[in-house]
Amino acid sequence: MNSSVQLMKSEYFLHNHLQLFVNRCSEDFVLPFHAHDFIEYSYVAEGKGFHHIGEDVLPVTKGMLFVIPVGVPHVFRPVSTNVTEHPLILYNCLFNAELINTLTSVIQEKEIIQHLMDLAQNQVPYISVVDHNDRIEELMVKLYRESSVPGIGSSTMLYTLVSQLVLMTYRQLCQKDHDEENHSTGFDYILHYIKEHVSNRIRMSDLVRISGWSEKQIGRMFLRHTGQTFSSHLQHLRIQKSCELLKSSQHKVSLIAELVGYRDMDSFYGAFKKITGETPLAYRKKSRAQHSGQ
């Protein structure tokens, strides 16, 4: 492990027979970048700040839950050194593999137990989900209260609450993966639609209509999957198609421009030169010279 990362061990926190520790704390700039030999569920209850985790630095706000596996270095930082005026409040739930073994009598699904074991054995990356309906926050508050002021049956109650936290987070994670898979499939349809209608006027409103997504969602999908904006992707696709036609057909440049969706020749020439570095006629001449020389 990197010497600049401090290792925190179970015995510092997990003193009780439950092998469970729950707290509510205000983050500062004193705690060092650290890793631990236990699993940590961290819920942002108040404020804003940053989560330095692995190689990432993520802005955090109320309602975000992170699951940090064994061995993954991280630290939370508030948005300002003035933590009195700008606090970052977290609930933390810590437990190790010993508690996982206990939870096997409560959690019946093998895939969820395996998920916990993967976290305990540093076999998966960190997890982040958003608590859209405040149900995770409710669980964290109950966990904190029950562990702070134990009552009759507290051990059973805490095991039940931790199981609910694990299950709820796992469901959120599975739903997140399912949504991303559906978005990916739906985005493939958008790309296919654009390719099939490249000679037509294609507007963002057309993509909203065929997908049911908002313009912002579609814009994010283009950046995520292509690294380009919608307009930039469409322009590159049209110029790519025009290059194919310049090489394979005898069509005039003006007709090729129309076939790939340009109604204005100046716009076509400008886009073509910007992307290829050449004029359409120069590109055609060079491609034919290369073909005849083969």
Side-chain angles (χ1 to χ4, degrees):
M1 183 177 292
N2 191 315
S3 58
S4 62
V5 178
Q6 180 174 318
L7 177 63
M8 294 186 174
K9 295 187 176 181
S10 296
E11 53 259 34
Y12 299 159
F13 302 97
L14 307 180
H15 304 136
N16 56 38
H17 70 284
L18 300 175
Q19 295 298 300
L20 174 71
F21 177 78
V22 183
N23 75 339
R24 185 179 189 273
C25 65
S26 178
E27 296 295 334
D28 52 33
F29 290 86
V30 177
L31 185 68
F33 196 52
H34 62 277
H36 26 70
D37 63 356
F38 48 81
I39 298 168
E40 179 176 347
Y41 280 65
S42 293
Y43 181 82
V44 182
E46 297 178 29
K48 298 179 180 179
F50 298 93
H51 192 189
H52 301 254
I53 181 164
E55 300 295 324
D56 301 331
V57 180
L58 307 173
V60 297
T61 57
K62 175 179 169 55
M64 298 179 72
L65 173 77
F66 291 88
V67 184
I68 301 99
V70 167
V72 174
H74 80 117
V75 72
F76 286 93
R77 296 295 188 217
V79 74
S80 167
T81 54
N82 187 346
V83 294
T84 303
E85 291 188 13
H86 303 282
L88 176 62
I89 309 296
L90 267 68
Y91 285 102
N92 298 302
C93 177
L94 321 178
F95 58 87
N96 59 16
E98 189 173 328
L99 178 63
I100 296 173
N101 291 331
T102 303
L103 292 181
T104 56
S105 63
V106 181
I107 300 174
Q108 300 298 301
E109 291 78 11
K110 292 181 179 179
E111 64 270 22
I112 300 178
I113 294 297
Q114 185 59 53
H115 163 70
L116 287 174
M117 294 306 299
D118 289 342
L119 289 168
Q121 296 168 6
N122 194 14
Q123 297 296 310
V124 290
Y126 70 85
I127 294 165
S128 67
V129 297
V130 177
D131 183 24
H132 292 294
N133 51 22
D134 298 331
R135 293 177 65 191
I136 295 177
E137 182 176 23
E138 290 175 11
L139 276 176
M140 281 294 195
V141 172
K142 289 179 180 179
L143 273 164
Y144 177 62
R145 289 175 179 170
E146 193 67 40
S147 64
S148 300
V149 186
I152 298 172
S154 278
S155 295
T156 302
M157 180 62 76
L158 286 168
Y159 286 149
T160 302
L161 291 171
V162 172
S163 299
Q164 288 182 53
L165 176 63
V166 169
L167 174 59
M168 196 174 293
T169 306
Y170 186 77
R171 280 183 172 179
Q172 285 263 80
L173 179 63
C174 291
Q175 185 62 47
K176 183 179 177 182
D177 291 343
H178 177 70
D179 290 345
E180 288 180 356
E181 182 179 339
N182 285 347
H183 278 179
S184 180
T185 303
F187 188 70
D188 287 342
Y189 177 71
I190 286 179
L191 293 180
H192 177 74
Y193 175 88
I194 294 173
K195 196 170 183 179
E196 291 296 307
H197 296 82
V198 70
S199 61
N200 302 332
R201 182 183 179 188
I202 304 175
R203 295 163 295 190
M204 181 65 87
S205 58
D206 298 318
L207 305 185
V208 170
R209 175 177 51 80
I210 67 167
S211 68
W213 299 337
S214 69
E215 290 191 11
K216 285 187 177 180
Q217 283 178 304
I218 294 171
R220 287 195 295 267
M221 294 295 283
F222 267 100
L223 290 174
R224 183 188 305 171
H225 289 276
T226 71
Q228 300 172 312
T229 63
F230 160 60
S231 58
S232 177
H233 177 79
L234 179 59
Q235 187 180 73
H236 277 77
L237 187 64
R238 284 174 167 166
I239 297 306
Q240 179 185 349
K241 181 67 175 178
S242 69
C243 287
E244 293 171 4
L245 291 171
L246 285 166
K247 289 189 292 185
S248 63
S249 75
Q250 300 297 325
H251 297 325
K252 292 182 178 180
V253 173
S254 57
L255 177 58
I256 289 176
E258 186 175 343
L259 289 173
V260 298
Y262 283 92
R263 305 293 179 261
D264 178 72
M265 286 301 296
D266 289 339
S267 297
F268 174 68
Y269 273 103
F272 195 96
K273 184 73 180 289
K274 177 183 176 182
I275 292 173
T276 68
E278 301 174 309
T279 65
L281 288 175
Y283 179 88
R284 171 176 267 172
K285 183 177 180 180
K286 186 177 79 172
S287 63
R288 287 181 175 174
Q290 290 174 342
H291 181 73
S292 62
Q294 290 178 351

